């Protein structure tokens, strides 16, 4: 028998209680070194001081690393490459080879459920490009992330090689975020709200669940007719597939 453990220290504890000779593989989707970095990426550790004292070099605590370094552990698959490198360096030399980055498990299961919405996005970007914007879910940094993403999107729009080529930005966001705040940031950065042809068909109880924008003429000039920004609650899978 082999156990597959997914999550954090809890399944590791349960595995240790299951028996001494049962091998297991661990998929660590609960911790990431990216959470310990400041927004400016200066390398400054933003974790609480007690966590920095207990584990200065890695987001995994010593007791977690002890489970992962045990002979029963056959494979460790952290959620990103940065965490994989940090954890590998923090483990004993003989245990480092079991740490492998195999991709983010939370990206599995991305088949679209609403084909009509996927087709709607494809129709907007027909003959051009559809770019998905993912500001994240963690508040409050998600709103500062969104402002940076909008600045990058503005740079893309202003440097389009052909003003007639459609270029659509679509941002699927969870219901926990304020759509009004995200929308106002878009307006502040030169996007003008327009009526959407899809809003009435959204399968959701939330009002105003989709906002659509075009660049203001005063800021973006000739690219205005062919560029779009769509902010929608949910529909993550459909946006990825578009």
């Amino acid at each position: 028998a082999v156990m597959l453990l997914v999550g954090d220290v809890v399944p590791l504890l349960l595995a240790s209680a299951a028996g001494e000779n049962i091998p297991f593989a661990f998929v660590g989707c609960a911790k990431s070194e990216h959470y310990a970095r400041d927004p400016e990426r200066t390398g400054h550790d933003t974790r609480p001081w007690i966590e920095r004292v207990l584990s200065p070099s890695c987001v995994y605590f010593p007791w977690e690393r002890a489970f992962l370094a045990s002979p029963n552990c056959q494979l460790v698959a952290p959620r990103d490459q940065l965490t994989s490198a940090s954890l590998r360096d923090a483990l004993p030399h003989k245990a480092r080879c079991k740490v492998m980055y195999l991709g983010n498990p939370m990206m599995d299961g991305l088949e679209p459920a609403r084909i009509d919405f996927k087709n709607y996005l494809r129709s907007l970007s027909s003959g051009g490009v559809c770019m998905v914007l993912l500001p994240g879910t963690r508040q409050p940094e998600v709103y500062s992330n969104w402002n940076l993403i909008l600045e990058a999107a503005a740079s893309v729009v202003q440097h389009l090689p052909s003003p007639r080529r459609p270029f659509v930005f679509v941002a699927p966001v969870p219901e926990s975020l304020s759509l009004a705040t995200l929308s106002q940031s878009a307006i502040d950065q030169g996007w003008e709200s327009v009526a959407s042809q899809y809003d009435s068909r959204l399968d959701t109880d939330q009002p105003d669940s989709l906002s659509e924008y075009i660049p203001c003429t005063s800021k973006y000039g000739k690219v205005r007719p062919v560029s779009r920004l769509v902010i929608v609650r949910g529909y993550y899978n459909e946006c990825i597939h578009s």
Side-chain angles (χ1 to χ4, degrees):
V2 178
M3 292 184 292
L4 176 62
L5 313 180
V6 180
D8 53 17
V9 69
V10 175
L12 291 174
L13 290 172
L14 294 176
S16 66
E20 296 183 355
N21 298 316
I22 301 179
F24 66 86
F26 176 68
V27 179
C29 59
K31 287 193 171 185
S32 172
E33 290 289 342
H34 288 286
Y35 293 156
R37 301 291 190 267
D38 64 5
E40 288 75 25
R41 305 297 186 193
T42 60
H44 178 66
D45 197 329
T46 60
R47 293 178 297 164
W49 69 269
I50 186 64
E51 293 186 18
R52 298 198 303 269
V53 171
L54 291 173
S55 185
S57 62
C58 180
V59 291
Y60 282 92
F61 293 118
W63 50 88
E64 294 173 316
R65 300 200 299 268
F67 285 124
L68 300 178
S70 68
N72 288 346
C73 181
Q74 304 297 306
L75 172 69
V76 182
R79 58 181 287 178
D80 54 72
Q81 290 179 315
L82 181 63
T83 307
S84 298
S86 174
L87 178 59
R88 189 180 296 111
D89 292 340
L91 289 178
H93 184 76
K94 291 184 178 180
R96 293 177 181 178
C97 62
K98 66 179 70 176
V99 180
M100 300 181 184
Y101 174 62
L102 303 177
N104 192 327
M106 290 180 286
M107 298 299 289
D108 292 342
L110 292 180
E111 288 301 317
R114 293 292 301 268
I115 302 300
D116 55 340
F117 184 76
K118 183 181 73 171
N119 293 337
Y120 159 72
L121 292 177
R122 286 183 172 177
S123 68
L124 285 180
S125 59
S126 178
V129 176
C130 181
M131 180 177 292
V132 180
L133 308 178
L134 302 176
T137 59
R138 293 168 62 92
Q139 301 184 51
E141 59 261 37
V142 62
Y143 298 112
S144 59
N145 291 346
W146 178 239
N147 287 327
L148 291 174
I149 288 174
L150 287 175
E151 291 178 10
S155 178
V156 171
V157 170
Q158 290 171 329
H159 293 87
L160 286 176
S162 172
R164 293 182 297 276
R165 187 185 186 192
F167 206 111
V168 177
F169 301 98
V170 56
V173 299
E175 294 185 0
S176 59
L177 300 184
S178 170
L179 200 63
T181 301
L182 298 172
S183 299
Q184 187 59 52
S185 296
I187 293 172
D188 292 343
Q189 294 206 32
W191 293 86
E192 176 184 340
S193 179
V194 295
S196 171
Q197 299 177 358
Y198 194 88
D199 193 19
S200 61
R201 289 180 284 158
L202 283 176
D203 184 19
T204 177
D205 295 330
Q206 294 286 340
D208 302 322
S209 294
L210 183 144
S211 299
E212 196 168 316
Y213 307 85
I214 58 177
C216 293
T217 305
S218 59
K219 181 173 182 178
Y220 297 101
K222 61 183 179 180
V223 301
R224 182 176 188 261
V226 294
S227 297
R228 293 266 172 158
L229 170 64
V230 178
I231 307 174
V232 60
R233 290 189 187 277
Y235 291 82
Y236 179 86
N237 294 5
E238 288 75 13
C239 292
I240 291 293
H241 277 271
S242 297

